[in-house]
Amino acid sequence: MIEAKDLNFSYDVDILKNIAFSISESSICTILGPNGSGKSTLLKILDKLLKPKKGTVLIENENLENLSIKNVAKKIAYLAQENEVSFSFSVFDIVLTGRAHNVGMLNQPSKEDIKIAKKAISLVGLQNLINKPFTQLSGGQKRLVLIAQALAQEAKILLFDEPTNHLDFSNQYAILNLIKNLIKKHNLTAIITLHDPNLAAWISDIVIMIKNGSLLKFGPVKSIMNAQNLSELYETKITVINNNGKLFITPLEFI
Ligand code: ADP
Ligand code: MG
């Protein structure tokens, strides 16, 4: 479904080095790594927002380089790390822009587009705020609006950069559970960045561990989410408790 081959990227200095992985349909992959390790940069490359210095991304066996912006939007929905909308649009208007790739420049959105936008808003539980200006929402509510906008795109691939950013404790689980159910029900594919390895272990099929721009480990949760790899990744002594297959991960040093 998505394959990255030998990806390299640099701003003024080298950021990503020889990143390679392949993710199949209907799976959830989490990217873990310390701050500044290159997670957001990698997601931006996968959404064609940044161009790799070297290497290739294949989306359903097609080279990302050959896909138009419109076709990228049909296949891939991307959620940025921060809530970056500053205009005073309503919740509904913002989610409806998720349909933009389906609406021609001079055309009005169709009844179907409106229905899809409303459905995405109720999926994230914001139907009561549908007409509220985005700028008047809390950080967490803004996050949910942008997640709904991405869902309204109806893309097969979801790239979510810290979807749990700004969400309260219970909403972090609620939104990841929603994403998980959507992925499995509609055979989608998600690549998500998260800071909490507990959430990653719970939601993911596959994990990519990135440290200083290099791939430390890539593989199924069961094979790579262990104390040794996590301690190496975060340079902190970490313990992993396995309770009937459910992993509880905590840094030992601070408790
Ligand atoms: P992460 O998402 O893992 O925290 P990022 O991908 O955001 O990491 O950043 C990786 C590295 O690239 C960091 O060292 C960061 O400072 C650098 N970086 C990010 N964006 C830019 C930019 N626009 N220009 C120069 N350096 C950048
Ligand atoms: Mg980031």
Side-chain angles (χ1 to χ4, degrees):
M1 189 74 186
I2 306 184
E3 198 176 346
K5 290 183 185 171
D6 193 29
L7 287 181
N8 287 260
F9 181 84
S10 35
Y11 286 108
D12 36 358
V13 292
D14 289 345
I15 304 289
L16 293 174
K17 293 149 234 160
N18 313 324
I19 301 287
F21 55 82
S22 135
I23 297 161
S24 53
E25 193 184 62
S26 200
S27 55
I28 302 178
C29 172
T30 300
I31 306 174
L32 289 178
N35 292 324
S37 53
K39 304 179 297 296
S40 296
T41 305
L42 177 56
L43 282 192
K44 286 177 191 163
I45 291 172
L46 299 178
D47 195 40
K48 213 181 172 178
L49 297 169
L50 293 175
K51 191 175 157 46
K53 188 168 89 175
K54 193 175 146 222
T56 326
V57 177
L58 298 178
I59 306 289
E60 294 176 307
N61 294 320
E62 225 178 318
N63 193 329
L64 184 62
E65 217 172 79
N66 302 331
L67 289 176
S68 65
I69 292 176
K70 196 166 171 173
N71 279 332
V72 171
K74 279 186 180 168
K75 286 175 187 284
I76 302 173
Y78 165 75
L79 172 76
Q81 183 172 327
E82 288 304 328
N83 301 328
E84 275 158 359
V85 180
S86 49
F87 306 107
S88 197
F89 290 129
S90 71
V91 167
F92 176 72
D93 289 339
I94 287 177
V95 176
L96 191 60
T97 61
R99 303 297 306 154
H101 63 280
N102 257 23
V103 181
M105 285 261 282
L106 301 171
N107 295 331
Q108 291 292 316
S110 67
K111 278 189 180 150
E112 182 68 9
D113 291 320
I114 290 170
K115 198 173 123 195
I116 292 168
K118 286 186 173 163
K119 187 175 162 212
I121 291 169
S122 37
L123 273 175
V124 300
L126 289 185
Q127 52 280 31
N128 294 336
L129 298 176
I130 190 161
N131 294 317
K132 190 141 176 158
F134 185 81
T135 45
Q136 292 176 19
L137 302 176
S138 75
Q141 290 166 337
K142 285 179 178 165
R143 202 73 194 138
L144 293 171
V145 172
L146 297 181
I147 288 171
Q149 182 192 47
L151 297 177
Q153 218 172 302
E154 293 199 316
K156 288 279 270 180
I157 297 169
L158 308 176
L159 305 177
F160 283 180
D161 201 350
E162 299 187 23
T164 53
N165 205 353
H166 302 293
L167 296 182
D168 67 50
F169 183 61
S170 128
N171 254 333
Q172 294 188 13
Y173 281 87
I175 207 67
L176 289 180
N177 198 41
L178 169 74
I179 293 169
K180 192 173 182 172
N181 290 338
L182 285 171
I183 300 291
K184 300 300 169 188
K185 187 170 164 201
H186 301 289
N187 290 327
L188 310 178
T189 303
I191 305 183
I192 300 171
T193 69
L194 292 170
H195 278 303
D196 184 347
N198 288 288
L199 292 174
W202 167 65
I203 194 181
S204 316
D205 303 299
I206 291 180
V207 174
I208 293 174
M209 294 182 178
I210 296 189
K211 189 175 175 183
N212 296 329
S214 297
L215 192 72
L216 181 70
K217 295 282 173 200
F218 163 66
V221 169
K222 279 192 189 120
S223 354
I224 68 162
M225 289 286 269
N226 55 46
Q228 189 184 344
N229 289 341
L230 287 163
S231 301
E232 188 181 347
L233 181 66
Y234 293 109
E235 293 184 357
T236 303
K237 199 158 174 41
I238 287 173
T239 187
V240 178
I241 300 161
N242 189 329
N243 186 349
N244 291 326
K246 289 203 169 63
L247 302 183
F248 295 92
I249 301 159
T250 187
L252 267 184
E253 241 175 80
F254 306 109
I255 53 170

